Amino acid sequence: SLNQYTLLVFSLYIWNTVALGLLGGIWAQPNILLPECDSLEAEEAALVAQDHLNAQHTHGYKYALNRIEEIKIHTVPDGNNTYVMEIELLETDCHVLDPTPVANCTVRPKHLTAIEGDCDVVLKKVAGVLTVLAFKCKTEESREDLCSGCSTLLPLNHTQGQDFVQTSLIKLNNETQNLTYSLLEIGRMSSQVVAGEQRYKAEFVVVEANCINDTCTPLNDTTAARGICISEGTNDPSVNCKMFSTLIPLVDANNSIGSPLPPQVHIHAGRVSHKHGTGHHKLTALHNPHMSSYLSESAESAEVVPVAPALIVPAAEPASPSPVADDSSSDASSASVEVPITLVCPGRIRFF
């Protein structure tokens, strides 16, 4: 009848509309590009992330890229792609105030208690320029290759270690003419038993100070003398300092010039104060996580993509298997990846 025919036509129209809408939604989704972790594109993004993380890290030491563990690029037609990366960083011996480029800094070896940072980073590429949107990091000590009798890393609030830094600072000021230095930060402290005697080693940052009686105030001046000192020994430590360039102004986490120094540090009385109380200086744990919905993605992903060259996977099908990971894949899918199988992620290890 006419009514049944009209109902049938109307039903077909509704079905087609819904189907086209769903297909349109799928086509509108960005694709996910999985490049090799050691590709030039991945390396560029990882180094941008490394530099940004170091800029946010206002205490302790700079970190160097050790390995790219995963990278996904969410592509969109306008070319403003989003990069989601997992990278591993290692602590260097360059303090964050040291203007030495990270590439010229020495990564601490494992037997000196290496510090590792594992970070998930989200970057955006706009007009060919990469910027970091958000990140989250976990920093921890590497306990591998530690030997019996080797030096042991001490907490930054260790009482005897702080006393040793205090003694070292007083000796430095007694041997320095025309300048008095104030403690800006303790970088590292370690101890080791040698010939039955406890020996300490400390790294601490000093800054030129203005002193009245026993109270010294760090100079809030971008050209104030500052540097990192290494002291070793027992009651009469040796102290050697590397002064930073006075031509490089201090930079804070927001990249503003002339970041103020801590207001006051007592160097002749009382105990050296330290706010951290941990075994090492950690990377900033979170930065703008609300700006990106991609941060949880890399944490949940542990896949290894055994395909070269790079794959493009529709974002609307996140559960679809890698083209060569499943022997039951279609002939067409298999034909699209007839290349030698290589592990493209994680990438090479630069240090250890």
Side-chain angles (χ1 to χ4, degrees):
S1 66
L2 181 60
N3 288 339
Q4 289 177 327
Y5 177 77
T6 302
L7 181 60
L8 178 61
V9 171
F10 181 73
S11 299
L12 290 173
Y13 172 77
I14 294 297
W15 186 90
N16 286 333
T17 301
V18 171
L20 289 174
L22 291 173
L23 287 174
I26 293 175
W27 291 334
Q29 293 290 328
N31 288 328
I32 298 177
L33 179 65
L34 304 176
E36 295 185 22
C37 278
D38 288 333
S39 64
L40 293 177
E41 187 170 26
E43 181 93 4
E44 178 191 9
L47 291 177
V48 170
Q50 168 200 269
D51 293 343
H52 183 86
L53 290 166
N54 281 325
Q56 301 292 321
H57 187 46
T58 56
H59 297 279
Y61 302 89
K62 296 180 181 180
Y63 282 73
L65 176 68
N66 186 44
R67 193 181 202 186
I68 302 171
E69 297 183 336
E70 185 179 68
I71 177 171
K72 297 179 181 179
I73 304 176
H74 296 253
T75 64
V76 290
D78 63 6
N80 296 335
N81 300 332
T82 300
Y83 291 61
V84 183
M85 305 189 71
E86 291 183 37
I87 59 176
E88 180 185 80
L89 304 164
L90 293 175
E91 184 188 70
T92 72
D93 61 1
C94 290
H95 193 269
V96 291
L97 296 182
D98 189 338
T100 302
V102 177
N104 296 337
C105 297
T106 301
V107 169
R108 295 186 189 274
K110 281 189 177 183
H111 71 274
L112 294 181
T113 313
I115 307 299
E116 301 176 357
D118 292 303
C119 298
D120 299 336
V121 188
V122 180
L123 306 94
K124 190 79 171 180
K125 194 167 193 177
V126 179
V129 178
L130 281 163
T131 55
V132 174
L133 294 181
F135 66 79
K136 62 180 178 181
C137 293
K138 179 179 67 174
T139 316
E140 57 189 3
E141 299 177 19
S142 172
R143 289 295 181 177
E144 299 177 20
D145 297 341
L146 296 182
C147 64
S148 176
C150 290
S151 60
T152 302
L153 193 65
L154 299 176
L156 296 175
N157 62 350
H158 188 273
T159 301
Q160 287 75 29
Q162 289 192 347
D163 286 341
F164 180 75
V165 171
Q166 176 83 355
T167 301
S168 303
L169 181 62
I170 292 172
K171 181 174 182 179
L172 171 66
N173 282 325
N174 287 339
E175 296 178 349
T176 303
Q177 296 180 351
N178 304 323
L179 281 180
T180 299
Y181 292 105
S182 182
L183 179 66
L184 180 58
E185 176 177 283
I186 297 175
R188 270 191 167 225
M189 298 186 296
S190 60
S191 67
Q192 183 178 14
V193 177
V194 179
E197 188 176 33
Q198 193 80 23
R199 292 177 60 85
Y200 292 93
K201 180 177 181 179
E203 299 178 21
F204 56 97
V205 181
V206 297
V207 62
E208 184 180 350
N210 178 37
C211 295
I212 301 176
N213 298 323
D214 288 338
T215 300
C216 291
T217 303
L219 293 181
N220 188 16
D221 186 341
T222 59
T223 61
R226 60 193 185 277
I228 187 166
C229 300
I230 298 178
S231 62
E232 298 182 75
T234 53
N235 297 326
D236 185 23
S238 63
V239 184
N240 295 288
C241 300
K242 171 191 174 184
M243 304 312 295
F244 303 145
S245 170
T246 58
L247 300 179
I248 307 296
L250 300 180
V251 180
D252 66 12
N254 296 316
N255 294 326
S256 61
I257 302 300
S259 171
L261 297 174
Q264 180 171 296
V265 179
H266 297 277
I267 64 170
H268 293 300
R271 198 173 303 282
V272 179
S273 61
H274 204 289
K275 66 179 182 180
H276 293 274
T278 58
H280 54 271
H281 291 278
K282 296 183 177 182
L283 285 163
T284 303
L286 283 170
H287 176 66
N288 290 342
H290 60 281
M291 290 185 60
S292 175
S293 60
Y294 295 99
L295 271 177
S296 60
E297 173 183 320
S298 56
E300 296 166 356
S301 175
E303 72 226 351
V304 174
V305 184
V307 179
L311 296 176
I312 297 181
V313 181
E317 302 176 12
S320 63
S322 175
V324 299
D326 188 355
D327 293 335
S328 63
S329 57
S330 67
D331 293 339
S333 176
S334 300
S336 65
V337 289
E338 289 181 354
V339 295
I341 296 177
T342 58
L343 292 177
V344 299
C345 281
R348 64 184 176 91
I349 297 174
R350 290 158 175 78
F351 299 101
F352 52 79

